[in-house]
Amino acid sequence: MTMFGTNQLLVDKHVEFIQNLDKKQDGLEYWMTEHLRVSGIYWGLVALFLLDRPQALDHEQIIAYVRGCQNADGGFGGHTHHDSHLLYTMSSVQILSMLNALDQIDGKKVTKYVLSLQQTNKQTNGQTIVCGDVWGEHDTRFAFIAMAVLSFFNTQDQLDTNGIVEYIRGAMNYDGGFGSKPGGESHAAQVYTCVAALAVAGRLDVVDRDRLSGWLAERQLLCGGMNGRPQKLEDVCYAWWVGSALDILRRRHWISAEKLVEFVVSAQDEKGGIADRPGDVADVYHTCFGIAGLSLVRYPGLNEVDPVYCMPRSVVRRLGLHKWQDKVPESWSQ
C-alpha cells in the first residue's frame, strides 16, 4: 500500500490505447484531427516514456514521419504538407529529442524559423512578441516555445530575451497569474507557459511567488481535480498545467497529491486512456497530461517528468537542459 492507497493506474491498458490510435483510420475523427498528428505523437510518446514503455511505438517510423513534416522555412507542420507553426515545431523537436534523433534535422534552419517570428512592439515599451506562424497570432505560449525550442540548439541567446521577459511581465495580473497577453485573464495553462519561459530565461525573479502559488493552489477543487480559472469545472489536464507551475515554484506541497491522484485515476477508461473527467471519452491529450501530472506528484512506478520541458527528466538531463534549475532564486529552497 502506497501513500496513494489503492488508486491504480492501468498501465498496460494505457499503452495499448496509445498503440491503437493510428490503427483507427476508418473513422471520421481520425481524419478530422489530421492537423494534430504531430501533437498526438508527442502526447503519446511522453505518456509511454513516463510509463517506462518507450519501445511501445516504432521509433524509426516516427522519426521518418516527423522529419517529413519539416518545411523549407525550417518550421514543422502538424502533418506532412501542412504549414509551419511554432506549436508543431516544439512538439517535433521534443519528439526527436526523446528519440535521440535531434541531430537528424538542421538546427540552424529551425533557429532561423523561430527568429523570424519575433517582433518588437515599439508602442509598448519595447516588449517583444513572438508569433505562432506567419499570419501573426501572438500570445505568451509562443514566447515560451521560442525560448524552449532554441534552448535545444543552444541558440536562445539570439532571441531578444529581455523584450520577451517584459512582454511576459506585462501579462501578469493582480492575482499573480498570467494571461495569454497583457490584459488577458489569468489562466493556469498560460501561467505554465509564462513561468516555464521565465525559468528558461533565468528570470523567475519576475514572479510574485506567494501570490501566484496561492492562486494555483486554489485551482484544486473538493473532488481533488483542478480547474484552469475560477468558476470552471475540473479537468485532468490541469494536473499538469497547475502542477508543473507549482513544481517550478517549489510549492508542489501546497496541493493534496492524494486527492489529485484519486481524481485522475477515476477518469481512466477501463479499456485504456484517460478522459478530462470521470465518465467522459478518453483521448491521448488527457492521457498524456494526466500521467504527467501523476509523475509530478511522484506516483509510484512512473519516470519523473521535467516541469519546464514536459519530457522525462532523464532526457532533459541528457540534453543539458536541466540547468534551468540552477537559476531558481536561492530563497525558494526555503
Side-chain angles (χ1 to χ4, degrees), residues 109 122 157 198 208 239 298:
K109 288 181 64 176
K122 297 180 180 179
D157 60 338
L198 293 172
D208 185 333
R298 306 297 186 264

Side-chain angles (χ1 to χ4, degrees), residues 25-331:
Q25 300 186 16
D26 57 344
L28 178 63
E29 182 180 2
Y30 181 86
W31 298 105
M32 290 291 289
T33 58
E34 181 181 81
H35 65 291
L36 293 173
R37 200 74 75 230
V38 164
S39 298
I41 293 173
Y42 163 70
W43 296 329
L45 206 58
V46 167
L48 291 174
F49 268 72
L50 296 181
L51 292 170
D52 204 25
R53 301 290 182 85
Q55 301 299 326
L57 295 179
D58 186 327
H59 290 188
E60 293 304 317
Q61 185 179 24
I62 292 174
I63 292 170
Y65 170 76
V66 171
R67 291 183 63 191
C69 292
Q70 187 172 27
N71 295 311
D73 60 9
F76 290 77
H79 185 48
T80 53
H81 309 300
H82 283 218
D83 291 343
S84 297
H85 195 286
L86 268 187
L87 289 172
Y88 309 123
T89 300
M90 175 71 169
S91 293
S92 296
V93 169
Q94 289 171 300
I95 291 167
L96 295 174
S97 296
M98 285 188 283
L99 301 184
N100 202 18
L102 197 58
D103 59 350
Q104 294 192 33
I105 59 172
D106 187 343
K108 292 182 179 178
K109 288 181 64 176
V110 178
T111 296
K112 184 178 180 180
Y113 171 71
V114 174
L115 292 176
S116 73
L117 297 174
Q118 70 169 347
Q119 300 177 8
T120 299
N121 189 340
K122 297 180 180 179
Q123 295 180 343
T124 51
N125 301 318
Q127 293 180 357
T128 295
I129 63 174
V130 180
C131 300
D133 56 22
V134 297
W135 305 110
E137 177 192 11
H138 65 88
D139 66 43
T140 48
R141 291 176 300 163
F142 308 138
F144 162 62
I145 290 174
M147 286 198 281
V149 168
L150 295 195
S151 69
F152 283 86
F153 304 103
N154 198 29
T155 55
Q156 65 269 32
D157 60 338
Q158 297 182 38
L159 281 169
D160 179 13
T161 300
N162 290 334
I164 292 175
V165 168
E166 289 308 309
Y167 175 67
I168 292 172
R169 189 199 301 270
M172 185 165 62
N173 294 313
Y174 71 93
D175 53 17
F178 294 84
S180 60
K181 59 189 64 174
E185 179 185 6
S186 295
H187 190 284
Q190 304 295 157
V191 166
Y192 157 73
T193 61
C194 290
V195 172
L198 293 172
V200 174
R203 291 299 312 277
L204 284 169
D205 58 287
V206 170
V207 175
D208 185 333
R209 186 192 183 205
D210 287 342
R211 186 168 301 202
L212 177 55
S213 297
W215 187 87
L216 288 167
E218 288 176 349
R219 304 279 61 77
Q220 187 166 40
L221 306 179
L222 292 177
C223 65
M226 299 175 176
N227 60 19
R229 48 198 170 125
Q231 306 302 316
K232 296 296 182 179
L233 292 175
E234 65 279 0
D235 189 314
V236 160
C237 69
Y238 293 111
W240 168 257
W241 304 121
V242 174
S244 57
L246 283 171
D247 197 285
I248 296 169
L249 296 169
R250 303 293 193 264
R251 290 280 172 76
R252 192 176 65 235
H253 58 286
W254 280 31
I255 60 171
S256 169
E258 293 87 349
K259 292 291 290 183
L260 180 62
V261 169
E262 182 179 342
F263 173 72
V264 174
V265 169
S266 70
Q268 295 180 112
D269 188 301
E270 62 181 12
K271 295 181 180 179
I274 302 175
D276 57 348
R277 58 185 62 88
D280 286 352
V281 177
D283 61 75
V284 67
Y285 171 88
H286 289 94
T287 300
C288 169
F289 292 117
I291 291 171
L294 294 180
S295 174
L296 285 172
V297 297
R298 306 297 186 264
Y299 185 91
L302 295 181
N303 289 323
E304 289 190 21
V305 67
D306 183 271
V308 168
Y309 289 95
C310 197
M311 299 190 301
R313 282 190 186 273
S314 59
V315 173
V316 173
R317 182 168 291 277
R318 168 167 57 79
L319 296 169
L321 299 176
H322 64 290
K323 296 177 181 178
W324 67 265
Q325 300 175 59
D326 299 335
K327 304 172 186 177
V328 175
E330 292 184 9
S331 61

